Amino acid sequence: MTHEDSTAQDNLVHLPYADAARAVRHVFVRDYVTDAEIGVWSHEKGKTQKVRISVDLSVSEETAHHEDQLENVVCYNEIVLGIQKIIETGHIQLVETLAEKIAAMSLVNSQVLKARVKVEKLEAVAEAASVGVEIERHR
């Protein structure tokens, strides 16, 4: 699928994450588990619960080669540190809000063309392995 073949709808665009023809690589953080103060219910306030976060980024390869230098790539560790900073700001009501903040933080980097973020609460529903949301945003 080429960029021209994609359809944009409600701020979503469906493009492949890695695409040699468009000089796009896929950078990801998969199944990052951490504690977060998150939730709208009274029993969720004032305490943390486990969340699992996955981030997939389509990243423009701005240089012909990264030259084996960290400053020439989008660093997955910086994405994790950014997630930690967002969570450390305090209580977040909705998983949707956390996902939007992570996507926005990722898209600040001009190399990032698209971000897909999945946020799962692991302890919210006893009968479910997880509940949550997945979003996709692009510039």
Side-chain angles (χ1 to χ4, degrees), residues 27-41:
V27 176
F28 60 90
V29 174
R30 198 64 42 77
D31 298 329
Y32 172 65
V33 177
T34 190
D35 292 319
E37 292 181 39
I38 192 164
V40 297
W41 308 111

Side-chain angles (χ1 to χ4, degrees), residues 19-53:
D19 185 342
R22 293 185 328 124
V24 174
R25 73 171 45 107
H26 181 201
V27 176
F28 60 90
V29 174
R30 198 64 42 77
D31 298 329
Y32 172 65
V33 177
T34 190
D35 292 319
E37 292 181 39
I38 192 164
V40 297
W41 308 111
S42 59
H43 69 275
E44 296 176 303
K45 307 241 169 132
K47 68 177 202 169
T48 62
Q49 58 183 298
K50 295 275 183 221
V51 294
R52 179 172 41 229
I53 300 167

Side-chain angles (χ1 to χ4, degrees), residues 7-14 100 103-104 107 113-115 135-139:
T7 57
Q9 199 173 44
D10 297 327
N11 200 27
L12 296 177
V13 66
H14 299 284
E100 291 288 353
L107 289 166
L113 305 171
K114 179 175 65 169
I135 66 167
E136 185 177 273
R137 299 294 179 261
H138 66 95
R139 57 177 70 258

Side-chain angles (χ1 to χ4, degrees), residues 124-137:
V125 177
E127 298 81 13
S130 68
V131 295
V133 67
E134 184 172 4
I135 66 167
E136 185 177 273
R137 299 294 179 261

Side-chain angles (χ1 to χ4, degrees), residues 11 22 29 51 65-67 75-76 79 90 101 106 118 131:
N11 200 27
R22 293 185 328 124
V29 174
V51 294
H65 192 285
H66 52 72
E67 300 171 355
C75 176
Y76 52 80
I79 300 300
K101 288 181 177 203
S106 300
K118 183 176 182 180
V131 295

Side-chain angles (χ1 to χ4, degrees), residues 50-100:
K50 295 275 183 221
V51 294
R52 179 172 41 229
I53 300 167
S54 293
V55 180
D56 291 281
L57 305 174
S58 287
V59 176
S60 173
E61 296 176 328
E62 293 179 346
T63 58
H65 192 285
H66 52 72
E67 300 171 355
D68 203 27
Q69 298 299 309
L70 184 59
E71 62 269 8
N72 293 335
V73 299
V74 172
C75 176
Y76 52 80
N77 191 55
E78 291 299 318
I79 300 300
V80 172
L81 292 173
I83 292 168
Q84 291 170 346
K85 286 180 186 175
I86 291 167
I87 289 172
E88 289 169 2
T89 63
H91 191 88
I92 298 170
Q93 296 268 73
L94 301 171
V95 290
E96 290 85 352
T97 302
L98 179 54
E100 291 288 353

